[in-house]
Amino acid sequence: MAARQRGENYKGFVLLSILLGTWWEAWAGQILYSVTEETDEGSFVGHIAKDLGLEPQELAGRGVRIVSKGRRQLFSLNPRSGSLVTAGRIDREELCAQSARCLVSFNILVEDEMKLYPIEVEIFDVNDNAPRFLMEEINVKIMENTVPGMRFPLNEAGDPDVGTNSLQKYQLSPNRHFSLVVQNGDDGNKYPELVLEQVLDREEEMTHHLVLTAYDGGDPPLSGILNIQVTVVDVNDHTPVFSLPQYQVAVPENVPVGTRLLTVNAIDPDEGVNGEVTYSFRKITPKLLQIFHLNSLTGELSTLESLDYEESSFYEIEVQAQDGPGSLTKAKVLITILDVNDNAPEVTFMSISNSIPEDTPPGTVIALFYLQDRDSGKNGEVTCTLPENLPFKLEISIDNYYRLVTAENLDREKLSLYNITLKAIDGGTPPLSTETHISIHVADTNDNPPTFSHSSYSIYIPENNPRGASIFSVTAHDPDSDKNAQITYSLDEDATQETSVSSYISINSDTGVLYALQSFDYEQFRNLQLRVTAHDSGDPPLSSKVSLNLFVLDQNDNVPEILYPTLPTDWSTGVELAPRSAEPGYLVTKLVAVDKDSGQNAWLSYRLLKASDPGLFSVGLHTGEVRTARALLDRDTLRQSLVVAVQDHGQPPLSATVTFTVAVADSIPDVLSEFGSNGMLMDPSDSDLTLYLVVAVATVSCVFLVFVIVLLLLRLQRWHKSRLLQGTGGGLEDLPASHFVGMDGVRTFLQTYSHEISLTSDSRKSHIIFPQPNYVDTLISQESCEKNDSLLTSIDFHECQSEVPRNQVSSVLPLSLFP
């Protein structure tokens, strides 16, 4: 009673659901909808977006889609409304045959979360199938002496609908000889039987035509008819009898086509035609007629096609045996198909990401796939494995769904492509397996800054480099790829440096080649420190720096500069004095030169290029000292012209020359007389100025001599007085010696008040200088020449302007003038 009440309540709930259109409920994370069969394409099934907690417009953006195991997609998603709708015609009978409840299961995948939501849709039946008989017409043979009340089984009708829409009743066309009885079988089917009500008389009527109508319970009800032809025959005492009321056989699904499954056997003890038995199918579907064959004479049941456990594991067939007069009997044949491990596991991917960023955190779902084996039992139990030493693992989801997830952090720079082999193995004997290969590309993220091979570089550049020339190249390596590995270079300005780096150096932002914007001069610029920054093009960009030390190398680009003797402004030669009493090795003068270069480019050596008397003087190779090489002789000319070269040690070497005159004389008058005589050769235009200069010198000398004479007279007068005082006062023994002035005192005085006179061949440029006291050393005398400490005032001589090159440097001749 309680079961009946529950059944009625369920029927009422289903009816209410049909009236309302759809219904859904959720439990344990599962969503259930319902829809009737035969609805139009696009019919509403349920508010899937709402039930998933999403907005309709989010379905496409989040990759919400249906994943189904079946070959045919029955439902689809409406992205506008967020509803689940039918994708086409749905036939409940095709999906579930005559099952009391028809449920279609599938899953909704939210791809961005890699989550599965199980969905079930119950398909409600509508009365879309009329009852149908296997054959439209049958022939029933009845003996004329058959006793009234005898029952003759008839073919039953089939209706694939369920519930009230299924077969409900049979109705026989009215007649006086037959009636209809319907039997309810153990399987729930209704079996019609023809009942003989009156004795038949073959001579009166040999054939009777009846119509059997089958009705279902739909609204409106549908029906099907079977035409029955009853033939009255002579007496047949026995009907065929099967050896077994029910035949059973179990065969593996891989039996060859044409294999004999079993043999049904019926015995009829009659003789002749009455005892000849023929076999035929009584209750069978058209599909089974294509699979099985029954030999009408031998009763052998064999296969016409291959059997497939996965399509159907059990068949129930009714066969009948009929003798010649038409008496028949029936029996059931039950065929069980045994599963054989003939199906390898199948791997079906629902979603897969072929490319994942390398910064993907562990536990991220990479792929979602489904394992299926159409076999049953252990043959259908499937396990899936991954190769070891991979940063991935498998997680079991729901309903044989697996997720491939990351197990650890990935690094594209170590491995950018993973070829993964998924191996699915079933539990059959022998086991069957399937290998599925997938490739996962690890997409680059900007996680590596550019790196230089060295932390710093030293650059050595010869000076006088051409402007714009390439001087160095820096290269940074970025293990990332694409834009993340595209490097640009730039120079950093150093605020601590006075000058801007960019005024000296530029860099190619693409290649890292450094260019000199200036021609460097070692004497002005020797070292520059700079930093180069390498930026990648990632988002955000990463960078690194490297230090560069630029050293300018010296080149021999400076000619030695002669500091002494100095170059007169009139391009004349200078004059140095050498007394005739000078011994060999006497220091006449010393050349002083410098070179702005450095190193061996600044190492100077001196050598005598030309001399009036080559053997008279020598020049120190490294000191530049000009000394007498031998004693001076009377026959040596007073005027000796020397040309000295100063050369550095660069490659190629550079040199400079200086030309000066050495006057060989013991006194200035000798020098003046000599040069005076030579002066006659001068240009007449210069003689007047020279004359004025000589007159001026003579006048000054006269004034000076007068002053000395006056001073001597004053000293003599003082001495004379002292003598008188000594005579009157007892002598001069007690007077201090300092009261007497001799020649030494006069010489000392003259030293103090000596003059510096410069004479040149161009008298207009000659000059007289009154130096500070103690500027010159001694008078020109034999005694002073024996001393090697004289500093003489310069006198420049120039015989002819055409004889002296303008690039020669003349020395200064110091002279002490006295009367």
Side-chain angles (χ1 to χ4, degrees):
M1 184 65 182
R4 183 181 301 174
Q5 183 65 35
R6 285 197 300 269
E8 292 177 355
N9 292 338
Y10 175 76
K11 290 179 180 178
F13 178 73
V14 170
L15 180 59
L16 179 61
S17 300
I18 295 175
L19 295 176
L20 293 177
T22 61
W23 60 284
W24 75 277
E25 55 182 283
W27 70 94
Q30 191 172 42
I31 301 175
L32 177 64
Y33 297 106
S34 66
V35 67
T36 57
E37 65 170 336
E38 302 296 341
T39 57
D40 295 332
E41 180 179 353
S43 298
F44 175 80
V45 178
H47 291 285
I48 189 67
K50 179 181 179 181
D51 297 335
L52 294 177
L54 303 175
E55 295 296 329
Q57 58 270 20
E58 292 184 89
L59 295 182
R62 300 188 62 178
V64 179
R65 57 189 176 92
I66 297 174
V67 290
S68 177
K69 306 173 191 176
R71 300 177 182 175
R72 177 186 169 197
Q73 193 75 283
L74 299 177
F75 303 97
S76 63
L77 296 175
N78 188 328
R80 294 183 179 179
S81 62
S83 303
L84 182 68
V85 297
T86 58
R89 173 181 172 274
I90 299 176
D91 188 354
R92 182 188 186 281
E93 290 74 35
E94 180 182 350
L95 295 175
C96 305
Q98 289 186 309
S99 300
R101 196 177 187 193
C102 183
L103 293 175
V104 176
S105 299
F106 56 91
N107 295 286
I108 294 291
L109 171 65
V110 181
E111 194 161 7
D112 64 341
E113 298 178 357
M114 285 295 182
K115 287 186 178 181
L116 285 172
Y117 295 89
I119 307 293
E120 283 190 348
V121 179
E122 183 171 4
I123 310 299
F124 291 135
D125 184 48
V126 296
N127 191 25
D128 57 340
N129 293 283
R132 182 180 178 185
F133 291 92
L134 182 60
M135 294 176 286
E136 295 181 357
E137 183 177 350
I138 62 172
N139 186 14
V140 179
K141 296 180 179 180
I142 302 176
M143 301 297 295
E144 61 178 338
N145 61 347
T146 300
V147 178
M150 179 65 72
R151 297 185 179 187
F152 300 92
L154 301 176
N155 292 346
E156 67 271 16
D159 192 334
D161 294 328
V162 295
T164 57
N165 295 326
S166 63
L167 177 65
Q168 298 296 320
K169 64 178 180 178
Y170 293 97
Q171 184 175 344
L172 186 65
S173 60
N175 64 86
R176 60 187 178 87
H177 292 95
F178 299 96
S179 64
L180 183 67
V181 174
V182 179
Q183 299 288 341
N184 292 320
D186 297 335
D187 55 3
N189 292 329
K190 298 180 179 344
Y191 296 96
E193 294 180 350
L194 187 64
V195 179
L196 182 60
E197 296 292 340
Q198 294 182 8
V199 176
L200 298 176
D201 187 355
R202 183 175 182 276
E203 288 73 18
E204 180 182 348
E205 188 175 0
M206 294 179 59
T207 303
H208 299 269
H209 297 279
L210 305 175
V211 176
L212 179 64
T213 304
Y215 295 93
D216 61 21
D219 185 17
L222 302 178
S223 61
I225 60 173
L226 173 64
N227 294 316
I228 304 172
Q229 180 177 334
V230 179
T231 302
V232 182
V233 297
D234 288 336
V235 176
N236 183 16
D237 297 334
H238 300 89
T239 60
V241 177
F242 282 101
S243 58
L244 295 173
Q246 182 173 289
Y247 294 87
Q248 295 184 7
V249 65
V251 295
E253 60 177 326
N254 59 350
V255 295
V257 176
T259 300
R260 182 178 64 86
L261 304 180
L262 56 82
T263 301
V264 295
N265 184 30
I267 300 175
D268 191 330
D270 292 329
E271 294 180 357
V273 177
N274 295 334
E276 294 178 357
V277 179
T278 58
Y279 304 94
S280 62
F281 290 115
R282 173 178 175 82
K283 180 183 179 182
I284 191 170
T285 64
K287 185 176 181 180
L288 294 183
L289 286 174
Q290 299 176 0
I291 300 176
F292 300 102
H293 170 68
L294 180 63
N295 191 312
S296 61
L297 299 178
T298 62
E300 290 183 355
L301 183 65
S302 59
T303 59
L304 295 175
E305 293 181 354
S306 299
L307 302 178
D308 192 350
Y309 173 87
E310 288 69 39
E311 289 187 4
S312 179
S313 61
F314 179 78
Y315 297 98
E316 180 179 342
I317 303 174
E318 282 191 3
V319 298
Q320 63 184 11
Q322 186 174 10
D323 59 14
S327 298
L328 56 84
T329 185
K330 63 180 181 177
K332 282 187 177 183
V333 178
L334 305 179
I335 303 173
T336 302
I337 308 301
L338 301 178
D339 184 39
V340 176
N341 192 24
D342 59 342
N343 291 284
E346 298 177 1
V347 179
T348 304
F349 282 90
M350 302 294 104
S351 177
I352 183 171
S353 299
N354 292 321
S355 179
I356 57 174
E358 61 179 320
D359 58 353
T360 300
T364 301
V365 180
I366 305 303
L368 180 68
F369 60 93
Y370 174 73
L371 294 183
Q372 182 180 11
D373 194 318
R374 299 179 63 192
D375 297 324
S376 63
K378 287 189 176 182
N379 296 332
E381 295 177 357
V382 184
T383 58
C384 188
T385 58
L386 272 179
E388 297 181 355
N389 302 323
L390 287 179
F392 303 98
K393 63 180 180 179
L394 291 175
E395 292 181 353
I396 299 177
S397 184
I398 60 172
D399 197 15
N400 282 339
Y401 280 92
Y402 284 78
R403 292 182 296 185
L404 178 65
V405 301
T406 55
E408 57 188 60
N409 293 320
L410 305 177
D411 190 350
R412 189 203 67 85
E413 288 68 42
K414 292 183 178 178
L415 190 60
S416 61
L417 175 65
Y418 289 93
N419 292 313
I420 303 174
T421 300
L422 298 174
K423 187 174 184 180
I425 306 175
D426 62 22
T429 304
L432 299 179
S433 63
T434 299
E435 289 188 352
T436 303
H437 303 279
I438 59 174
S439 296
I440 303 297
H441 293 267
V442 181
D444 184 49
T445 57
N446 195 25
D447 58 343
N448 292 284
T451 56
F452 293 92
S453 56
H454 301 283
S455 59
S456 62
Y457 295 90
S458 295
I459 308 172
Y460 299 92
I461 308 173
E463 64 174 332
N464 303 319
N465 57 286
R467 296 180 61 182
S470 170
I471 60 174
F472 196 67
S473 176
V474 292
T475 302
H477 174 68
D478 195 323
D480 295 325
S481 64
D482 299 330
K483 286 187 176 181
N484 297 330
Q486 292 180 359
I487 301 175
T488 56
Y489 302 90
S490 62
L491 289 174
D492 288 353
E493 292 291 344
D494 190 352
T496 60
Q497 295 188 149
E498 297 180 357
T499 57
S500 174
V501 173
S502 60
S503 64
Y504 294 102
I505 303 293
S506 68
I507 188 169
N508 188 311
S509 60
D510 296 325
T511 63
V513 177
L514 296 171
Y515 298 94
L517 299 179
Q518 298 183 10
S519 180
F520 299 125
D521 188 352
Y522 175 82
E523 288 71 37
Q524 297 180 1
F525 176 81
R526 298 188 179 185
N527 176 256
L528 179 65
Q529 294 182 350
L530 60 151
R531 286 195 306 270
V532 174
T533 301
H535 301 266
D536 59 27
S537 301
D539 186 16
L542 301 178
S543 63
S544 61
K545 299 178 183 293
V546 65
S547 298
L548 283 80
N549 287 322
L550 176 65
F551 298 96
V552 180
L553 300 179
D554 183 44
Q555 297 291 302
N556 193 26
D557 60 339
N558 289 282
V559 176
E561 180 182 356
I562 299 175
L563 302 179
Y564 184 85
T566 58
L567 178 66
T569 58
D570 59 356
W571 300 99
S572 61
T573 59
V575 178
E576 298 289 345
L577 185 64
R580 289 188 177 274
S581 61
E583 296 295 331
Y586 175 79
L587 177 63
V588 178
T589 187
K590 180 177 181 179
L591 276 70
V592 179
V594 294
D595 196 317
K596 294 181 180 179
D597 296 324
S598 65
Q600 68 178 9
N601 295 329
W603 297 351
L604 302 179
S605 61
Y606 304 84
R607 60 190 177 94
L608 184 62
L609 286 182
K610 182 179 179 182
S612 300
D613 188 348
L616 183 56
F617 298 97
S618 64
V619 178
L621 180 63
H622 301 296
T623 62
E625 295 176 345
V626 180
R627 296 179 181 271
T628 56
R630 60 176 174 79
L632 298 176
L633 303 175
D634 293 338
R635 57 184 173 84
D636 293 329
T637 60
L638 182 143
R639 181 177 181 176
Q640 298 287 334
S641 179
L642 302 179
V643 178
V644 179
V646 183
Q647 180 175 297
D648 59 26
H649 286 70
Q651 292 297 330
L654 300 177
S655 64
T657 60
V658 60
T659 302
F660 60 93
T661 301
V662 177
V664 181
D666 290 330
S667 62
I668 290 179
D670 295 339
V671 175
L672 293 176
S673 63
E674 177 66 20
F675 284 97
S677 62
N678 293 335
M680 296 179 63
L681 301 176
M682 297 179 184
D683 193 318
S685 62
D686 297 337
S687 59
D688 294 339
L689 183 59
T690 304
L691 178 61
Y692 296 151
L693 181 60
V694 171
V695 172
V697 171
T699 304
V700 172
S701 299
C702 292
V703 173
F704 179 70
L705 289 176
V706 171
F707 174 75
V708 171
I709 292 171
V710 171
L711 181 61
L712 289 176
L713 292 176
L714 291 175
R715 286 286 184 179
L716 289 175
Q717 184 180 5
R718 187 175 180 179
W719 175 78
H720 179 70
K721 289 181 180 182
S722 64
R723 293 286 294 177
L724 291 178
L725 291 175
Q726 182 180 8
T728 57
L732 300 174
E733 292 83 7
D734 297 333
L735 290 175
S738 61
H739 288 182
F740 295 93
V741 178
M743 289 305 296
D744 292 338
V746 174
R747 188 181 297 118
T748 302
F749 180 80
L750 292 177
Q751 285 182 197
T752 304
Y753 291 94
S754 61
H755 306 289
E756 189 176 280
I757 304 172
S758 295
L759 301 178
T760 67
S761 60
D762 186 359
S763 301
R764 290 170 298 181
K765 298 180 182 180
S766 302
H767 59 279
I768 301 175
I769 301 175
F770 293 90
Q772 296 295 330
N774 298 326
Y775 185 75
V776 295
D777 293 331
T778 62
L779 299 173
I780 299 179
S781 64
Q782 181 66 28
E783 183 178 3
S784 64
C785 289
E786 293 177 357
K787 300 179 183 179
N788 296 326
D789 57 353
S790 62
L791 296 174
L792 303 179
T793 305
S794 64
I795 301 177
D796 297 342
F797 298 93
H798 199 297
E799 292 183 0
C800 178
Q801 292 181 359
S802 62
E803 292 179 0
V804 182
R806 296 188 59 85
N807 61 350
Q808 290 184 339
V809 182
S810 61
S811 64
V812 178
L813 173 65
L815 297 175
S816 297
L817 301 179
F818 56 90

